[in-house]
Amino acid sequence: MFTTRPTLQGTHGMVSSTHWLASQSAMAVLEDGGNAFDAAVTAGFVLHVVEPHLNGPAGEVPIILAPAGGAPTVLCGQGPAPAGATIDHYIALGLDLVPGTGPLAAAVPGAFDAWLLLLRDHGTKRLAEVVRYAIGYAEHGHPAVERIGETVETVRELFETEWTASAELYLPGGHAPAPGRLLKNPALAATWRRLIAEAEAAGPGRETQIDAARRVWREGFIAEELADAAARPAMDSSGERHAGTLTGEDLAGFEATYEAPARHTWNGWTVCKAGPWSQGPVFLQQLALLPDGLGADDLGTPDLVHTLIEGSKLAMADREAWYGDAADVPLAELLDRPYNDERRTLIGERASYELRPGRPGGRQPRLSKQALAAVARSASHTPGPVAGPGGGEPTVGGDGTVRGDTCHLDVVDRWGNMVAATPSGGWLQSNPVIPALGFPLGTRLQMAWLDPGLPNSLTPGRRPRTTLTPSLALRDDTPVMAFGTPGGDQQDQWSVHFLLGVALRGPVRSGLDLQGAIDAPNWHQESFPGSFHPRSMAAGRVVVESRIGEGVISGLRRRGHEVAVGAAWSEGRLCAVARDPETGVLMAGANPRGAQGYAVGR
């Protein structure tokens, strides 16, 4: 099979991320004796600088880690809704959805504390050693990728008329960052330098300094600036200026937490995901719905693509009815063999245009009013055109309405430590830049509903359901592969297709064919309410890369799917690393789409 680049192999360390500078910075840490967790934190901080349109320090990050010889663990860097973020508050403002931008959409930031907890508990380096790469790129500049300037242009009017601090950073002299021109963020560099100085003043110990930095974020000068920014009314996607609900007390009360992953075994592979406060179990439900006996010859056929589309619809319908952090989720029943055997009978020869959540344990599903409205709108409208090349990047309206996207990184080291992380939120287009800090608040609350009593209802102290969903796969209870992708609601579609490509294809150079599975033509379906404002749906619509072939396209159309044909290389931004537990050989692959992701290693 043709691949755009080889699956890398080596024995020292492997990194794959959505930006080459993050990958290479992480590799530099591995070369300097650091482990996979040191390298991951390094890459995370660099991504804040070089992909500011896709993530930021005040965003969020779920992390799945597997220490050498240890069990996989989820580190949750998704902050909850602030204490003042009640449904009644938003309804009183005349809203029926949480805005897609602005302070009202800001959850408690979770990414920073998660990265530092990972470094403290599993890394070996000091904070200054891993953050210095990000400081260097923020202070001295990095060549801007095309999407930064394109994103800024979409919100130019908003920046120039309302979010003027953002204009000062991203429209200097009235010009958006041009591709390849150096983009600097001196305020962010100064923030990290002050943070490190205050942390080091707390004492000489590595852990002491990391915990001191965490306190500075939660209670010190950074917390003060974050709370002040949330309290200032700003124009948001509702067309009005609103203040947020985030306070200093909310910031002081949050710490990232560890938890056991959700998992499911299919065809000898056990996949670990974050729990149903994320969309992660959607991946597992799709595996549970697969028919028995699949082989390499099934990959890319109209029959299998149709089966995967219909299984994805059923899993996403369950996500809409049952996932969230505001109520108990019947996850065991959702992954039960009898439940999925019954659900599989709903997959017929024709495409379904319905949203069909199941009844795990006999429970009655309930959907939000806005989700039902999205279903009704979709049934009465013809889907619009598919996005062009780079459609996986943020879709941003002139008022700042954000569909959103994110980053991803994976690392494995010579000792067998492995980590997958999907940082997101705090995009430059999410909220006004805080001048003293150099970054904005996030907007993750837009994923919660304003209907009471639902698993994903907006609830103080509870996490809004996130699309962020890194993956870790095991063979015989041994971690062998970490992978993931940006892409919002598409993440647990593209990632499933990747796993099938790896699991069903034969080996390359006696290793996993990571690059072949990444490069394979990809697709996604849109028959469910989206997670991002304005929460739209396109029933029956499937978006495919043109190179998937006319045989698949015509075969899907014969089955009743509304097929939109996108550019040849427009679906998915996967990263992956792996380790053969028998030989110790390490592997990596990265997405060629967008000419930005890269894997490095030796």
Side-chain angles (χ1 to χ4, degrees):
M1 173 181 175
F2 167 78
T3 60
T4 58
R5 56 188 86 167
T7 295
L8 304 183
Q9 291 187 318
T11 56
H12 182 81
M14 292 282 164
V15 182
S16 180
S17 86
T18 49
H19 196 291
W20 62 85
L21 292 179
S23 296
Q24 191 54 55
S25 298
M27 192 67 204
V29 171
L30 293 179
E31 296 284 11
D32 193 42
N35 66 18
F37 309 116
D38 298 312
V41 177
T42 299
F45 274 85
V46 170
L47 287 172
H48 294 159
V49 180
V50 300
E51 291 191 324
H53 58 310
L54 303 178
N55 80 137
E60 42 276 326
V61 59
I63 301 169
I64 301 183
L65 60 137
T73 302
V74 172
L75 175 52
C76 175
Q78 174 58 64
T86 65
I87 290 175
D88 287 345
H89 176 69
Y90 288 72
I91 297 298
L93 294 172
L95 300 170
D96 56 9
L97 288 173
V98 177
T101 60
L104 268 181
V108 180
F112 179 88
D113 198 65
W115 287 125
L116 264 63
L117 195 62
L118 180 67
L119 181 66
R120 186 197 72 181
D121 294 348
H122 300 280
T124 65
K125 297 289 188 180
R126 292 180 177 271
L127 179 61
E129 293 179 290
V130 298
V131 180
R132 66 187 180 96
Y133 301 88
I135 292 174
Y137 288 124
E139 192 166 59
H140 303 296
H142 60 94
V145 295
E146 288 83 350
R147 285 287 167 191
I148 297 177
E150 291 172 8
T151 300
V152 171
E153 285 294 350
T154 64
V155 288
R156 171 184 285 274
E157 182 179 355
L158 178 69
F159 279 16
E160 290 179 334
T161 61
E162 297 283 347
W163 297 5
T164 54
S166 299
E168 290 177 12
L169 177 58
Y170 291 109
L171 286 168
H175 301 291
R181 297 296 297 271
L182 290 181
L183 175 61
K184 300 179 181 181
N185 190 339
L188 179 58
T191 296
W192 295 150
R193 288 192 183 281
R194 180 177 172 183
L195 174 88
I196 290 169
E198 293 190 14
E200 291 178 341
R206 190 184 77 92
E207 292 83 1
T208 297
Q209 292 177 4
I210 293 171
D211 280 337
R214 295 170 69 204
R215 288 193 299 273
V216 171
W217 178 276
R218 293 198 303 262
E219 302 171 16
F221 79 95
I222 294 178
E224 293 174 0
E225 293 290 346
L226 293 172
D228 286 348
R232 286 194 293 271
M235 180 65 70
D236 61 39
S237 58
S238 73
E240 302 288 339
R241 297 180 185 88
H242 294 115
T245 60
L246 181 69
T247 66
E249 289 77 13
D250 296 312
L251 292 159
F254 174 77
E255 293 188 30
T257 54
Y258 293 103
E259 60 187 56
R263 59 172 66 202
H264 182 76
T265 299
W266 169 82
N267 204 30
W269 291 82
T270 298
V271 180
C272 295
K273 303 289 290 185
W277 52 268
S278 76
Q279 73 171 355
V282 161
F283 188 117
L284 309 182
Q285 286 195 252
Q286 289 173 90
L287 293 183
L289 287 164
L290 288 173
D292 294 330
L294 293 177
D297 291 344
D298 295 303
L299 289 171
T301 63
D303 285 345
L304 181 57
V305 174
H306 168 75
T307 297
L308 289 169
I309 291 168
E310 295 303 298
S312 174
K313 291 175 184 177
L314 295 174
M316 284 298 200
D318 276 349
R319 183 195 77 164
E320 194 52 55
W322 300 111
Y323 289 21
D325 194 39
D328 291 335
V329 178
L331 187 57
E333 289 92 338
L334 289 169
L335 295 175
D336 253 357
R337 182 63 182 258
Y339 176 79
N340 286 284
D341 286 346
E342 181 181 352
R343 293 282 279 165
R344 197 179 302 111
T345 65
L346 297 176
I347 300 176
E349 293 298 316
R350 299 286 297 173
S352 169
Y353 278 57
E354 300 176 74
L355 189 70
R356 299 181 290 178
R359 300 185 179 188
R363 299 169 179 85
Q364 181 68 31
R366 182 179 164 217
L367 302 175
S368 76
K369 294 190 297 291
Q370 294 302 322
L372 291 171
V375 173
R377 288 194 303 270
S378 179
S380 60
H381 289 80
T382 301
V386 62
E393 301 292 339
T395 300
V396 188
D399 63 351
T401 301
V402 180
R403 183 178 178 189
D405 204 355
T406 181
C407 312
H408 187 81
L409 64 94
D410 304 301
V411 189
V412 61
D413 64 29
R414 62 188 185 273
W415 300 288
N417 299 303
M418 190 176 294
V419 59
T422 311
S424 186
W427 307 299
L428 67 86
Q429 66 276 15
S430 64
N431 257 299
V433 164
I434 304 168
L437 299 180
F439 59 85
L441 290 165
T443 55
R444 193 60 55 176
L445 291 188
Q446 68 180 290
M447 297 187 169
W449 294 113
L450 296 181
D451 302 75
L454 302 173
N456 192 33
S457 295
L458 180 65
T459 306
R462 297 290 183 169
R463 295 165 288 191
R465 190 191 68 216
T466 180
T467 53
L468 307 176
T469 176
S471 304
L472 196 143
L474 296 77
R475 298 280 287 179
D476 299 323
D477 289 327
T478 301
V480 297
M481 186 166 66
F483 59 101
T485 177
D489 292 310
Q490 286 76 53
Q491 291 180 36
D492 279 316
Q493 300 185 58
W494 294 332
S495 292
V496 168
H497 310 157
F498 165 79
L499 178 69
L500 292 179
V502 171
L504 298 179
R505 284 193 182 94
V508 174
R509 298 177 187 157
S510 298
L512 301 175
D513 187 12
L514 303 183
Q515 197 62 49
I518 289 171
D519 286 356
N522 220 322
W523 53 267
H524 74 271
Q525 61 90 12
E526 298 180 346
S527 289
F528 55 89
S531 294
F532 293 89
H533 191 282
R535 314 300 290 268
S536 59
M537 170 179 170
R541 175 164 157 169
V542 181
V543 183
V544 303
E545 291 182 329
S546 60
R547 61 195 177 92
I548 201 169
E550 184 54 40
V552 174
I553 294 170
S554 60
L556 293 177
R557 285 175 173 158
R558 282 196 303 270
R559 290 166 172 83
H561 298 279
E562 181 77 34
V563 182
V565 180
W569 295 89
S570 55
E571 290 282 316
R573 288 177 63 203
L574 279 143
C575 303
V577 300
R579 179 179 184 271
D580 186 327
E582 293 184 3
T583 65
V585 170
L586 310 178
M587 292 154 269
N591 171 53
R593 299 163 179 86
Q596 192 169 320
Y598 240 86
V600 296
R602 70 170 179 86

